Amino acid sequence: MVNPNKITPHLFRTEYSKIVAVLCKSFDIKHIEIAEDIASETFLKASEYWAMNGLPDNPAAWLYTVAKNKAKDYLKHLSVIEKNKQEGGKIFENENDTIDFDTKNISDSQLEMIFMICNPVNSQETQIALALQILCSFSIEEIANAFLSKTETIKKRLQRGREKLRTHHFTIESLSKQDIHQRLEAVLTALYLLFNEGYFSRTNNLLIRKDLCLEAIRLTLILTDHPCTNTPKTNALLALMCFQSSRLDARTNDQGEAVLFDDQDEALWDKALIEKGNYYLTEACHTNSTSISKYHLEAGIAYWHTSPAGQDKWQHILNLYNQLIIFEYSHVTALNRTFAFSKVYGNKKAITEAEKLNLTDNEYYHGLLGYLYAELDTDEAIHHFEEAIRLTQSKSEKQTLQKQINVLKQSK
């Protein structure tokens, strides 16, 4: 029998934002918090009811029904209050009894919701933070990690962002092509960060969170299905997600420990996802007017990672990293570029490149140096792996690093 306590968190991640979006659209809710409260109450009832009675045959449909009923109850209660006290600005404008949780309405509602949240009344960073919280169910800690910021800073940013949405009469409505074009960059960034948190989690004992990767792909697919958002950049982002997702099963072993790229079993790579990645990358590059984005470059890097050895594979990857680091510098890009550099020019020269970065308070910096020194200086490699263990907060990452130390000590 499936434990309801284990399945509820997964459903919360995948269904919570759907419920919020559909309720906001169906009832024309002016305050997102009302829809969020109804969704939260729905999951609270689910955790209590399922613990006593077991899981229903269709948990998602059960959640939709409860959410619909709770929304109707709230609407009736509000109508009684408003009859006795006439106030401007109703929370619910639409008193229609019909709330559809079919696939199309969910997709349409989420698409409209994410673009309404990414309102230029807020800064782009605030837009992205709100989208991650409301549409992607990110915790404040997860958002802080995505922005490499403090949790208190993110908390204040979200509070100010929500207040601005309220004062500017938030509502889900059809946007003009100009509005969509203006907001698309923030939407794509939010989905990119959602996928990255799943691909390499910084806030969970699990190194990989497939549910986040799949949700990011699902939402990006919605964008490619709409003519206004089916842009080269959107397709490039989806290609990147497909290529990266194709190797998820090979990136960890049965104990949940990370498997380095050199040691991955290529038989575990998902060939169907690689083919989808090829398709969307072609779509991203099919027009002569296509401007190169960071998603094009990262998708190209991911493409070469899934390609067979030979054909100057690592030189191609290094060339793309050289372009990416100029296009948009980050510590992660610099470290990944150094790894590719080692494949082309050897570990000794790569160590010199890595040490130029001087990222002494970064666990990935020490992890990379540990890898590069492993065949050259065992003691130095162990030192850097130990520094990486000290700096990382990930339990699975600590286990992986300790395993590498153990191997090096046995080889001495």
Side-chain angles (χ1 to χ4, degrees):
M1 181 178 178
V2 179
N3 185 345
N5 291 328
K6 291 183 177 180
I7 197 169
T8 302
H10 170 71
L11 279 173
F12 183 86
R13 177 69 72 177
T14 58
E15 304 300 331
Y16 177 86
S17 65
K18 296 178 186 178
I19 292 171
V20 171
V22 171
L23 292 180
C24 281
K25 181 180 180 180
S26 299
F27 284 120
D28 196 10
I29 296 178
K30 301 299 184 185
H31 301 314
I32 300 172
E33 290 82 2
I34 299 298
E36 290 178 317
D37 286 344
I38 293 172
S40 296
E41 290 172 9
T42 298
F43 277 92
L44 178 60
K45 182 172 181 178
S47 63
E48 295 172 347
Y49 186 85
W50 295 351
M52 295 289 294
N53 301 280
L55 284 173
D57 292 336
N58 190 334
W62 189 97
L63 291 168
Y64 299 156
T65 300
V66 173
K68 184 187 300 186
N69 290 335
K70 284 186 175 292
K72 289 179 180 178
D73 289 343
Y74 186 87
L75 178 58
K76 290 176 183 176
H77 175 70
L78 189 67
S79 297
V80 172
I81 294 175
E82 289 182 341
K83 284 179 182 178
N84 298 321
K85 183 179 179 180
Q86 293 298 321
E87 292 182 343
K90 293 182 180 180
I91 296 177
F92 291 97
E93 294 291 348
N94 180 9
E95 299 191 7
N96 189 346
D97 243 10
T98 303
I99 308 174
D100 292 324
F101 278 97
D102 58 63
T103 302
K104 185 179 185 305
N105 194 41
I106 288 173
S107 296
D108 290 346
S109 297
Q110 285 193 293
L111 180 62
E112 292 174 13
M113 180 78 158
I114 195 168
F115 276 93
M116 292 312 300
I117 289 170
C118 292
N119 189 323
V121 70
N122 284 309
S123 68
Q124 189 171 88
E125 283 191 341
T126 300
Q127 294 172 39
I128 295 165
L130 286 167
L132 288 174
Q133 185 184 55
I134 298 170
L135 266 297
C136 307
S137 305
F138 266 39
S139 67
I140 291 177
E141 182 187 4
E142 287 172 326
I143 298 171
N145 283 328
F147 281 100
L148 301 177
S149 185
K150 295 180 180 179
T151 54
E152 190 60 32
T153 301
I154 295 299
K155 186 176 180 180
K156 290 178 181 178
R157 183 181 299 170
L158 290 168
Q159 289 172 343
R160 288 194 296 267
R162 284 174 175 270
E163 182 59 33
K164 283 188 177 181
L165 288 181
R166 280 194 293 270
T167 57
H168 282 77
H169 307 295
F170 169 85
T171 185
I172 289 186
E173 60 187 6
S174 297
L175 294 171
S176 67
K177 289 184 179 180
Q178 182 179 355
D179 287 330
I180 291 173
H181 178 75
Q182 184 181 22
R183 302 180 186 193
L184 182 58
E185 186 63 38
V187 172
L188 294 179
T189 302
L191 296 177
Y192 174 78
L193 292 175
L194 170 61
F195 183 86
N196 282 352
E197 176 60 26
Y199 187 75
F200 203 111
S201 179
R202 295 170 58 90
T203 55
N204 196 290
N205 284 334
L206 293 174
L207 182 67
I208 295 171
R209 300 169 68 182
K210 286 187 180 180
D211 58 331
L212 300 190
C213 293
L214 293 174
E215 183 66 2
I217 290 174
R218 188 184 70 81
L219 291 171
T220 309
L221 274 168
I222 293 175
L223 295 180
T224 61
D225 287 338
H226 195 286
C228 289
T229 53
N230 184 28
T231 66
K233 191 178 289 188
T234 304
N235 280 277
L237 176 58
L238 186 53
L240 169 63
M241 292 177 179
C242 290
F243 286 133
Q244 297 290 61
S245 295
S246 71
R247 296 191 292 111
L248 287 180
D249 288 341
R251 288 185 59 234
T252 56
N253 60 22
D254 293 338
Q255 290 73 46
E257 299 168 338
V259 177
L260 298 177
F261 182 82
D262 293 344
D263 300 325
Q264 287 180 14
D265 181 359
E266 294 186 19
L268 297 176
W269 292 1
D270 190 323
K271 303 301 188 295
L273 274 174
I274 293 173
E275 286 302 312
K276 286 184 181 295
N278 290 333
Y279 170 80
Y280 288 111
L281 186 56
T282 301
E283 288 292 298
C285 303
H286 79 287
T287 61
N288 294 329
S289 61
T290 297
S291 58
I292 296 298
S293 68
K294 74 170 185 175
Y295 304 126
H296 286 81
L297 295 173
E298 290 193 33
I301 291 168
Y303 160 80
W304 280 107
H305 272 88
T306 60
S307 300
Q311 302 179 333
D312 296 323
K313 170 176 178 169
W314 286 103
Q315 184 64 64
H316 286 295
I317 292 174
L318 179 59
N319 291 342
L320 288 167
Y321 269 124
N322 289 338
Q323 296 178 60
L324 182 61
I325 206 165
I326 295 172
F327 191 93
E328 184 177 287
Y329 179 86
S330 74
H331 294 333
V332 173
T333 300
L335 291 169
N336 287 339
R337 175 195 169 276
T338 306
F339 178 80
F341 186 94
S342 73
K343 294 295 186 182
V344 177
Y345 297 107
N347 287 14
K348 189 173 182 179
K349 289 184 178 180
I351 288 170
T352 302
E353 286 289 301
E355 289 177 342
K356 289 177 184 177
L357 300 174
N358 197 31
L359 300 172
T360 55
D361 59 349
N362 185 300
E363 63 265 37
Y364 306 119
Y365 169 76
H366 289 288
L368 174 62
L369 281 173
Y371 167 82
L372 295 175
Y373 270 114
E375 296 180 0
L376 302 172
D377 187 331
T378 300
D379 290 335
E380 191 67 16
I382 291 173
H383 163 70
H384 284 291
F385 282 138
E386 288 175 340
E387 278 297 291
I389 289 175
R390 183 180 65 82
L391 290 167
T392 186
Q393 296 179 354
S394 169
K395 181 180 177 181
S396 60
E397 204 169 330
K398 287 179 186 289
Q399 292 173 340
T400 301
L401 291 165
Q402 187 58 56
K403 187 175 180 179
Q404 290 173 292
I405 290 173
N406 295 340
V407 170
L408 288 172
K409 286 182 175 179
Q410 290 174 4
S411 66
K412 290 179 69 174

